Amino acid sequence: MSKPGNTSSNTSAPKDSKASTPKRSLTPRRRAREYALQGIYQSLVMRRAGSLPNKTLIAKQLAEDPAFRRCQLELFQGIFEGVLDRTDEFEALITPALDRPINELSPVEHAALLIGTYELAADLSVPYKVAINEAVELAKTFGGTDGHKYVNGVLDVLAKKLRGTEIQAG
């Protein structure tokens, strides 16, 4: 179905087509990571603008979204607070794997890298492949066209450093 102003020449698409919207599995865990990404993104943007982010205020704002109640709250809190409490530490891990200064990353890629690094470094209950995949999926959903490839490459380097034993074990 065409919307006014839509200049697409594809007239064979079904009426309910969501071709431009990627299909997402919104499990409570995925939803928790998405909200964490949004909060971390907001914090990064505020920091870049010279403001001090208030994580309590950001978390409260996110919790006002009706869909927030369907996320796994403990996972959201662990990632959100864990990343914000240790941002400098995680950025120090990320920086050597980058091909540019960290402040030149898009805030979405930056946030996805922080989440992936948090899960690789601080939450050993998450298998390294899952940590990388989840960060890549966040970058695909919210980031630029090829940002997910960059996130994947950087986290792959970090996984070898942080989870070398797990990787060797297969």
Side-chain angles (χ1 to χ4, degrees):
M1 175 185 289
S2 288
K3 293 180 181 173
N6 185 352
T7 58
S8 173
S9 61
N10 183 359
T11 57
S12 63
K15 288 182 181 180
D16 295 328
S17 175
K18 295 182 181 178
S20 62
T21 305
K23 185 176 179 184
R24 298 186 303 157
S25 172
L26 294 178
T27 65
R29 293 183 65 80
R30 174 66 55 85
R31 199 177 294 270
R33 286 183 177 97
E34 287 187 0
Y35 279 107
L37 178 93
Q38 291 173 41
I40 294 163
Y41 171 92
Q42 186 173 348
S43 174
L44 290 170
V45 169
M46 291 176 75
R47 269 185 28 193
R48 289 180 183 187
S51 299
L52 288 175
N54 181 328
K55 72 179 176 184
T56 304
L57 214 58
I58 294 170
K60 183 180 178 197
Q61 179 187 22
L62 292 169
E64 290 173 358
D65 185 338
F68 183 82
R69 63 183 163 77
R70 294 193 308 264
C71 83
Q72 187 176 345
L73 184 59
E74 299 80 21
L75 181 63
F76 163 78
Q77 289 172 331
I79 294 171
F80 181 67
E81 292 174 13
V83 168
L84 293 186
D85 290 345
R86 298 170 63 184
T87 298
D88 292 340
E89 176 187 339
F90 297 140
E91 286 179 344
L93 290 170
I94 293 167
T95 299
L98 299 177
D99 64 352
R100 64 190 94 158
I102 201 161
N103 63 348
E104 290 182 11
L105 295 174
S106 82
V108 171
E109 290 169 9
H110 191 167
L113 285 169
L114 286 169
I115 290 171
T117 303
Y118 166 81
E119 291 195 315
L120 288 171
D123 191 351
L124 301 180
S125 69
V126 177
Y128 80 94
K129 288 181 181 179
V130 173
I132 293 171
N133 184 62
E134 289 296 326
V136 167
E137 289 301 317
L138 289 170
K140 278 184 187 176
T141 301
F142 296 102
T145 303
D146 287 332
H148 66 283
K149 295 176 185 177
Y150 189 77
V151 168
N152 185 58
V154 171
L155 291 178
D156 188 50
V157 169
L158 289 178
K160 290 173 184 163
K161 178 180 177 184
L162 299 170
R163 301 275 192 100
T165 306
E166 182 182 348
I167 292 169
Q168 288 177 347

